[in-house]
Each structure stands twice: as C-alpha cells, then as structure tokens.
Amino acid sequence: MHAPGTIGPMTPEAETTPEAEPTPEAGTAPTAPDEGATFADLGLRPELLAALSRLGYEEPTPIQREAIPPMAAGRDLLGQAATGTGKTAAYALPVLQRLPDERPGGDPLALVLVPTRELAIQVSEALHRYGRDLGARVVPVYGGQPIPRQLRALEAGVDVVVATPGRALDLLQRGSLRLGGVATVVLDEGDEMLDMGFAEDLEALLDEVPEERQTVLFSATMPRRLDSMARRHLRDPLRIQVAREVPTEGEAPRVRQTAFVVARAAKAAALGRVLDVESPTAAIVFCRTRDEVDDLTETLNGRGYRAEALHGGMSQEQRDRVMGRLRGGTAELLVATDVAARGLDVEQLTHVVNYDVPAAAETYVHRIGRVGRAGREGVAITLVEPRAHRMLKTIERVTGAPIKVERVPTVADLRARRLELTRAALRESLLGDDLERFRGVVETLTDEFDVMEVALAAVKLAHEATGGPDDEEEIPEVTLRPERPRRDGDRGDRGQGRPPRGRSGPGGDTERLFIGAGRSAGVRPGDLVGAIAGETGLRGRDVGAIEIAERFSLVEVPAASADEVIAALKASSVKGRKVTVRRERSPA
Ligand code: AMP
C-alpha cells in the first residue's frame, strides 16, 4: 500500500462539478506547456509523433498538454476529464513513451483498467494505433469473450493489457495474468468502475502490482469513495482538470446554441437533416482530425451540399483556393480542423457546427466566436454522441450559457420545411416576377380544371424541381440519462455474469427487448450490458433483468430508451456479429 496522497478533501459539490478549481501539488508540478504547444513540444518520441501525424491529429488537446509530460516523467496523476476531452491519448501516449526499447519478457509492463468491454476494445485499439511503430503488443481482456483466446494472447507476450476489472482478477487468480512487471497502472473512468461495482476488484488488483509502480486515475467526476481510493493508492499525484478556464464576461458571444444527441452511426445523416432545416448561408463544420474532415466532406458532397475541406495537411495555396470559394459563395460549407481554421474570419458565416463535442470548453468558445458578430444572428450547433454528454454539461457551466438540446428534425419536419421554402419562393415570384407569359397556360387549363387544382399541380412541379430528395429514414432519437446522485455500495455488472434483477434495475416503465443471439453464440449478460452502456446514454445499472436462452436473449431496458437501444444495437454488434433486435412480442 502506498503512503497517502496529498489530495485535498472533496466537497460534495465537487462530485458533480468537474471544472472546480484544481489544487495542484505545491512546487512539484512541471509547468504545463503553453497553449499552441505541439505534440513534439511535449517531448514525445518520433515513433509516436509519426503515428499521430498519420492519424491526422494536428495538436494536443488541453488534457493531453497537461498530462503527457508529467506522466511520461513517471509521475502519479489524477485527471478529472470526461469522454471527448482526448483523455485516452493523454494516458496512452505516455504509457507507450515509457516502454523500454528492449522488451524481452512476455509479462505486461502496463495495465489499463476500464469499466466496459467496449471501452477495453476502444482503448486497446487506440494504444495499438499509437504504438504501431514501437511494436507495442496490446491485448484487451474482458468478460464475455472466451477465456482461452485471451490466455493465448497473454501467453504470446504482451506490453500493455487493457482489461475490465472482473476479468483481470479472474485471469490473475488463474495465474495467467502476471502483474509483477507492471510499471504503470491506469484506471480509466474510475467513477464508472465504482458505479458498476468493481471497487473490491480494483483494490485487489492494485494490491497485486509492484509498489514502485506509477498509478494514474482518470474520472469524469470524483465521488468520495474514489477520492479515498486515490488517497490510498496514488503517491503524491499531480491533479489535472480540464475546462477550468472561465471566459471573461462578454467573451462568450450571443449565439443561439443548440445540441443534438445522436448515435455515432447516424451523425452524418443527422447533420444533413439539421443543415437542411437551418439552411445556413455559410457554415463551418469542425472535426477532430484530418481524416474526419476528408470523410465528412466527401459524405456531404455526396448528399448534395457544396462542402470544402480545410486542414493542416493542405498547402497554403490549396487553403487560399478553398477560402476564396467560401467567400465567393461557390461553397456553402467548410469542414475544418481547429488548427486549419485558426485566425480565419469569414464575414458571411452564419453557423458553426461542432461535429463532436469539443475537447475543451475554451475550444468551444473560440469556435462559436466566429459567428454572432456585429449584431448578426449566429447559430452554434453541436452533435453529441451519448457518451460525450457530460462534456456538454461542462461547457454549459463554463460558458454560463444554456445549450438547448433539441430533437433531430424528423422526416415530417423536413417535409414541412421544404414546403415552406417552396411557398416562400412562390410568394417571391408572385411579388416580383413578370408572370404574364404563363397566363395562356393557366387559362386553357381552367377550361377543364378549377384554378385551385391548377395551382396545386404547379406547386407540386415547383416543389419537386427545387426540393432535395424526399427523405429517407427517421433518425432514432437518443434520450440522455438524467444526472443522478451516486449511491455507494452498489454492485452491478462484473462484465461476465449477473443475476437477473427483476424490475428493480431500471425502475419506472420498462420494456423487454428480444436479441437474436444467446448462449449458443457465447453471449453472456456482461456482453449485453457492455454493448448497451457503450452505445447509448444508458449506464450498466439502467439495464434490468437479463435472460439468456440458447438461441436468443431478453433484456429489460427503460421504456423511454427502448428505441434508442434497438437502433444502437442494430448499428453495432453483439459478440462480433449483427443480430436481430426488436421489442419482445407479448405472449398471445
Ligand atoms: P477520448 O476523450 O479519449 O474518448 O477521445 C475522443 C476522440 O478524440 C477520439 O476519437 C480520439 O481519437 C480523438 N482525439 C484525441 N486526441 C486528439 C487530438 N489531439 N486531435 C484530434 N483528435 C483527437
């Protein structure tokens, strides 16, 4: 056990205000690099810089700027940061940086603990991508996957293990996971792990890693129980919080701010829908990486928008050309990274779109500062994936301005809007155009039809000629789980099996969903809870009773979220395959 850390006492308020002023350790904190620092300025090795450049990351996010140098230097760290801040890379890069060049042994040098299967996969993929040129061997282990495969992967030799706590403990007890060589332990989403009932497993695991290790904890909130765990297991940790800068009064511009919560798979369609309804004169859509910029530009052009990409990988000449097209009105949408859009001033800009919730509140403020100038109306639109909704709350608190969460326009909304545009165009024509030469057409038709009928046919043709394609499918609505006080002592899913909890799980109205995979496909309760918690705004404990039959499973979820869960599970996979998901048919 370590000497107690020097973390200050947490007030109850601090449990839900991640942006509260931090208390860095006196005298020991290396000064964080300035805003504008590059990844190279953070002292990362060339192999990692090459990977980041390949991935199109143009600059570190604030949590990365602050966490990478001290963590790479071996310091314990306590980071309060939510999903969407870039926290994964903030710890993954230093973990890789610290790997020795020669790694003859097969036992892990770093252990990353995460609450869900989805996160384990996501984090191990990130480590794998960043660590490719270093030859880093990364193995995810989680409940639900057959143990033999994980045993083989561990036996083959591993540098970093990314694990859910239950499975890590299981493998440890079998003697397959050997932690004697671990130099760094990262606990990611600490609050979620406690929420899911992993407290004892975490304690047991932390007691098994060498005392001389580095320990790093990331969590969106800092409930008391987590704080006391940090006091016991972290040594003189540096404390880092993102989004703590409060803009000075008047800095946050007066802009209509809205957000739409959408599943990742539906984002491009949702953006198209929102743009159709908003009809911006000129808009900038901000993305995180160059690749995202290129992909989204292509998608939007495919949907009939005139979109141009702008990112740091382009030459000055290319950028100038793009800006010329936007200013001249040939392009209506600019899809850009923050770096590329820096200093850019487009007068006719009406809309700023955040394709993801920005990694820091300051970024949000800078971005939306580009509209709403000189008394003109500006609109800021943010697309929020369910897991990133906390960051949105943080931004709201920091900017002091409410962001209205709205429903993605439905097909009916869109039709109404298109009809409205046709009506406005006809009115304009009636007021301004010389329509005399069409009089003969109307007069001959009125011999046979009523004037109203003639008008209806003319409107139909005008509408079809100007309107876009009549829209596709409804975009599933995602409801955000309301923030709730946390309860201590809650023991939920351990990632590999849980007793059915009857109707007590979600509370309130529930619905049972049929999922077309069961025991024969190797499905276990943890797979379903993990898939649901990973893809929707629900948490493990919102999921109720689970029954696993041979060929199918039944899962109880809050009725209000049933559509969301169905859409999310259909868009993703259960045990690596696409499955049927629908409401359970009530017995005849
Ligand atoms: P996280 O908060 O770790 O879940 O990261 C959110 C997303 O941001 C992930 O898709 C990352 O790939 C991406 N990301 C992280 N750091 C950066 C960066 N410096 N530049 C661009 N994208 C990033």
Side-chain angles (χ1 to χ4, degrees):
M1 195 77 63
H2 293 298
T6 49
I7 304 161
M10 280 294 197
T11 59
E13 194 189 31
E15 292 194 19
T16 49
T17 48
E19 73 283 12
E21 199 57 40
T23 49
E25 310 309 316
T28 47
T31 42
D34 293 339
E35 199 177 325
T38 63
F39 280 110
D41 295 336
L42 304 184
L44 290 174
R45 44 206 288 180
E47 297 91 336
L48 295 174
L49 294 177
L52 293 168
S53 158
R54 241 188 347 256
L55 289 167
Y57 289 16
E58 299 197 325
E59 60 173 359
T61 67
I63 188 85
Q64 291 164 1
R65 267 201 312 267
E66 294 198 43
I68 290 173
M71 206 184 141
R75 178 118 195 232
D76 279 11
L77 198 133
L78 203 159
Q80 235 176 296
T83 295
T85 53
K87 67 176 165 67
T88 312
Y91 67 74
L93 293 168
V95 160
L96 294 164
Q97 172 94 1
R98 282 168 60 75
L99 290 181
D101 288 334
E102 299 295 323
R103 304 185 292 273
D107 289 348
L109 302 167
L111 172 68
V112 180
L113 294 165
V114 298
T116 62
R117 174 188 80 143
E118 275 60 38
L119 203 58
I121 294 170
Q122 211 175 299
V123 168
S124 74
E125 278 171 0
L127 278 157
H128 185 74
R129 280 198 302 268
Y130 304 147
R132 204 178 80 185
D133 295 355
L134 292 171
R137 298 164 297 173
V138 184
V139 173
V141 296
Y142 43 82
Q145 198 194 41
I147 284 212
R149 192 177 334 156
Q150 299 179 351
L151 294 183
R152 277 198 301 277
L154 291 175
E155 282 309 317
V158 52
D159 298 313
V160 187
V161 170
V162 184
T164 50
R167 179 55 63 100
L169 197 59
D170 197 348
L171 291 167
L172 181 79
Q173 284 159 355
R174 288 165 183 253
S176 316
L177 181 63
R178 289 177 291 276
L179 298 179
V182 167
T184 302
V185 178
V186 178
L187 310 180
D188 190 9
E189 305 210 346
D191 50 357
E192 288 279 330
M193 290 201 279
L194 290 195
D195 246 16
M196 295 181 79
F198 285 132
E200 289 163 28
D201 295 358
L202 289 176
E203 294 281 355
L205 286 163
L206 286 169
D207 284 342
E208 288 297 325
V209 273
E211 216 166 292
E212 289 316 306
R213 67 169 191 265
Q214 172 185 36
T215 314
V216 172
L217 166 65
F218 276 91
S219 186
T221 62
M222 200 53 67
R224 250 188 209 101
R225 228 156 40 110
L226 193 61
D227 183 53
S228 73
M229 183 183 275
R231 279 163 184 278
R232 272 177 285 119
H233 294 285
L234 273 63
R235 208 186 329 217
D236 183 25
L238 177 67
R239 212 166 224 273
I240 293 176
Q241 283 174 309
V242 286
R244 61 167 187 264
E245 276 175 35
V246 180
T248 49
E249 183 134 10
E251 196 181 320
R254 268 174 202 91
V255 170
R256 174 160 61 88
Q257 301 179 63
T258 53
F260 298 90
V261 184
V262 275
R264 174 171 273 284
K267 271 166 88 174
L271 176 61
R273 193 70 64 80
V274 171
L275 290 173
D276 283 348
V277 171
E278 290 280 342
S279 338
T281 309
I284 295 194
V285 183
F286 283 99
C287 293
R288 285 189 163 128
T289 66
R290 291 174 195 177
D291 291 355
E292 223 172 63
V293 165
D294 286 335
D295 290 350
L296 185 63
T297 308
E298 203 180 308
T299 308
L300 288 171
N301 280 314
R303 285 169 175 261
Y305 301 96
R306 287 168 295 139
E308 294 277 351
L310 190 76
H311 58 61
M314 295 163 60
S315 69
Q316 190 56 46
E317 197 193 334
Q318 286 173 312
R319 294 197 215 186
D320 291 344
R321 228 177 301 137
V322 166
M323 291 312 298
R325 283 199 285 267
L326 189 74
R327 292 207 173 92
T330 330
E332 55 193 348
L333 294 174
L334 193 63
V335 185
T337 55
D338 286 298
V339 170
R342 200 159 281 158
L344 181 143
D345 195 12
V346 185
E347 221 187 286
Q348 51 282 65
L349 207 63
T350 51
H351 290 64
V352 167
V353 179
N354 301 300
Y355 195 59
D356 296 281
V357 181
E362 305 92 271
T363 311
Y364 181 88
V365 172
H366 288 157
R367 286 181 181 178
I368 73 168
R370 293 202 168 78
V371 288
R373 296 213 182 131
R376 284 192 304 262
E377 197 215 7
V379 182
I381 293 164
T382 305
L383 299 189
V384 188
E385 287 174 37
R387 285 188 69 83
H389 75 277
R390 276 173 197 248
M391 193 56 205
L392 192 71
K393 291 270 165 257
T394 304
I395 290 173
E396 260 187 334
R397 280 195 291 258
V398 170
T399 58
I403 301 175
K404 195 161 167 243
V405 177
E406 290 183 13
R407 197 169 44 92
V408 176
T410 59
V411 174
D413 292 337
L414 202 64
R415 289 200 182 127
R417 170 73 184 160
R418 286 193 181 138
L419 281 174
E420 174 54 29
L421 290 176
T422 301
R423 195 196 65 83
L426 287 169
R427 183 162 190 276
E428 205 173 308
S429 175
L430 283 163
L431 289 174
D433 289 346
D434 176 10
L435 303 172
E436 257 330 291
R437 64 197 173 102
F438 302 109
R439 184 173 293 279
V441 178
V442 178
E443 278 173 356
T444 44
L445 285 169
T446 47
D447 290 345
E448 202 180 338
F449 303 96
D450 185 60
V451 180
M452 176 57 109
E453 286 174 310
V454 175
L456 290 175
V459 171
K460 171 178 178 283
L461 290 179
H463 185 67
E464 286 173 355
T466 54
D470 243 344
D471 227 283
E472 336 108 25
E473 288 177 30
E474 289 292 2
I475 294 170
E477 198 176 341
V478 180
T479 39
L480 280 185
R481 176 180 44 79
E483 292 283 335
R484 280 166 306 186
R486 285 153 190 279
R487 286 172 293 158
D488 275 0
D490 204 22
R491 190 155 180 87
D493 171 52
R494 297 187 48 184
Q496 50 182 320
R498 55 155 47 194
R501 283 191 292 171
R503 304 193 80 80
S504 65
D509 284 345
T510 59
E511 286 213 49
R512 289 226 296 183
L513 305 184
F514 169 94
I515 292 165
R519 244 190 324 273
S520 60
V523 172
R524 304 218 212 157
D527 299 324
L528 300 176
V529 178
I532 293 171
E535 301 290 333
T536 68
L538 297 176
R539 284 206 187 168
R541 71 153 85 123
D542 297 319
V543 178
I546 295 178
E547 282 174 43
I548 306 223
E550 196 53 29
R551 307 199 146 272
F552 65 90
S553 313
L554 296 170
V555 184
E556 201 175 46
V557 298
S561 306
D563 286 332
E564 179 194 345
V565 174
I566 292 172
L569 291 183
K570 275 187 176 163
S572 65
S573 59
V574 175
K575 298 294 292 178
R577 16 181 252 180
K578 291 269 166 215
V579 291
T580 311
V581 187
R582 55 170 163 78
R583 285 186 166 71
E584 185 195 18
R585 293 194 185 105
S586 26

